Amino acid sequence: MSPRDDIPDLRGLDGEGSVQVHLDEGVKIEGAKVFSVYGKGGIGKSTTSSNLSAAFSMMGKRVLQIGCDPKHDSTFTLTGRLQATVIDILKEVDFHAEELRPEDYVAEGWNGVKCVEAGGPPAGTGCGGYVVGQTVKLLKQHHLLEDTDVVIFDVLGDVVCGGFAAPLQHADRAVIVTANDFDSIYAMNRIIAAVQAKSGNYKVRLAGCVANRSRETNEVDRYCEKVGFNRLAHMPDIDAIRRSRLKKKTLFEMDDEEDIVVARAEYMRLADTLWRSVNGAGSSPHPLPDREIFELLGFD
């Protein structure tokens, strides 16, 4: 008997070539519009997610942001602090989820945004996909998704694993944060391929990308034109964003300086674009093979 004989054939259940567990129908997010934010590690996903949550709340939407990174810093500009993670709180009650109350793991952030940090297992000891699944299950058990219009998953870096992929099982649209440089665009190219693999079995579609921390957008735009992708917004590399992180605030809480007002307006425009995008077909770019992306962006 081969040691692989007892591995079930899961091809096609969760994206081409995937052997991840198929989504339990009982933990689907229903009623809310769901967005997953992706990008290269350190590219500004949490800043983008938190300001986007704030923008949706300014539109009168009831918003829930779920941080999916062991660093658990996704929501600290909304709440002003690092909060405990779902996985750590579950450990405290020996994984008896029935002992938890919503206030044990959900914090209210700026302008009423509900904030959850899923957290993750210690390095090398488990899969982030399990943590995302347990978090959504808890939210459903406590009926917290019934009073929510928008859910934003702020997902860990560009490692295409279970923790990366689990939010795609719930999302309507995936948004990629990039910068105007080769490494960020290379990561975006891989993320596009991963999202499209999921889209064969789930409702998720690509919305487009946000050029972040970049004075120019020429390289991002060149890539998007080549593969048929959409740049949805441009957030310049302004000092106000750095200062907002230091002050543990979103841009919407900062003083009305000129660059802050401009950035807020761009986030409001992005939120409106994403809200309306769910009613459309989504973007269907054609990611490039590694050699082609190097030839497009890597060399003169």
Side-chain angles (χ1 to χ4, degrees):
M1 177 179 175
S2 165
R4 296 187 59 83
D5 285 349
D6 59 347
I7 297 177
D9 183 3
L10 299 177
R11 287 175 297 179
L13 289 182
D14 203 36
E16 184 63 31
S18 174
V19 293
Q20 295 170 44
V21 177
H22 195 61
L23 175 66
D24 182 349
E25 293 291 320
V27 295
K28 277 187 174 180
I29 297 176
E30 298 171 322
K33 295 186 178 183
V34 184
F35 304 97
S36 290
V37 180
Y38 290 92
K40 175 179 171 288
I43 201 62
K45 294 182 296 296
S46 294
T47 300
T48 300
S49 298
S50 294
N51 282 295
L52 189 54
S53 289
F56 274 122
S57 76
M58 291 293 289
M59 292 168 59
K61 309 302 181 186
R62 298 167 298 178
V63 186
L64 167 66
Q65 181 168 320
I66 304 174
C68 304
D69 193 311
K71 296 198 310 294
H72 62 103
D73 64 345
S74 171
T75 60
F76 90 98
T77 57
L78 286 161
T79 63
R81 61 183 176 84
L82 285 176
Q83 61 187 94
T85 69
V86 168
I87 194 67
D88 288 338
I89 293 168
L90 281 171
K91 285 178 184 176
E92 291 176 3
V93 296
D94 199 24
F95 291 89
H96 293 293
E98 67 277 5
E99 296 184 17
L100 297 183
R101 303 163 300 169
E103 54 266 34
D104 292 328
Y105 63 96
V106 180
E108 183 170 317
W110 183 80
N111 206 32
V113 175
K114 287 183 271 189
C115 301
V116 176
E117 293 287 352
T125 65
C127 176
Y130 167 79
V131 180
V132 172
Q134 290 301 302
T135 299
V136 174
K137 187 179 293 186
L138 272 174
L139 290 166
K140 290 210 75 166
Q141 287 173 351
H142 290 130
H143 305 287
L144 293 171
L145 295 169
E146 296 171 10
D147 298 321
T148 302
D149 301 310
V150 174
V151 177
I152 294 179
F153 284 99
D154 174 16
V155 190
L156 75 170
D158 55 321
V159 180
V160 188
C161 66
F164 171 99
L168 294 174
Q169 297 176 331
H170 302 283
D172 294 293
R173 293 290 180 266
V175 183
I176 303 175
V177 181
T178 186
N180 197 49
D181 60 60
F182 174 81
D183 288 343
S184 303
I185 297 171
Y186 182 85
M188 175 164 64
N189 190 66
R190 295 183 71 235
I191 294 166
I192 287 172
V195 173
Q196 289 186 325
K198 279 289 189 191
S199 69
N201 294 84
Y202 295 98
K203 63 182 177 179
V204 65
R205 297 293 182 270
L206 287 153
C209 67
V210 176
N212 192 49
R213 297 180 179 173
S214 302
R215 184 180 300 275
E216 306 293 338
T217 64
N218 57 312
E219 297 298 321
V220 173
D221 292 340
R222 190 149 62 100
Y223 171 81
C224 287
E225 182 178 4
K226 177 72 174 179
V227 304
F229 202 33
N230 304 318
R231 177 169 61 81
L232 303 174
H234 175 209
M235 304 298 173
D237 187 12
I238 58 175
D239 189 61
I241 294 177
R242 181 190 64 82
R243 286 188 281 111
S244 74
R245 296 283 291 179
L246 292 174
K247 292 178 178 291
K248 303 176 186 177
K249 294 181 177 181
T250 68
L251 290 174
F252 290 83
E253 299 171 80
M254 301 282 283
D255 293 336
D256 291 339
E257 299 173 13
E258 182 178 357
D259 55 353
I260 293 176
V261 171
V262 170
R264 281 184 205 147
E266 186 73 341
Y267 276 114
M268 292 297 296
R269 190 180 67 81
L270 175 60
D272 180 66
T273 298
L274 290 175
W275 180 263
R276 289 185 288 105
S277 76
V278 175
N279 298 322
S283 179
S284 299
H286 301 283
L288 299 175
D290 287 351
R291 184 178 297 276
E292 289 188 25
I293 196 168
F294 268 89
E295 290 175 353
L296 178 69
L297 301 173
F299 306 99
D300 291 330

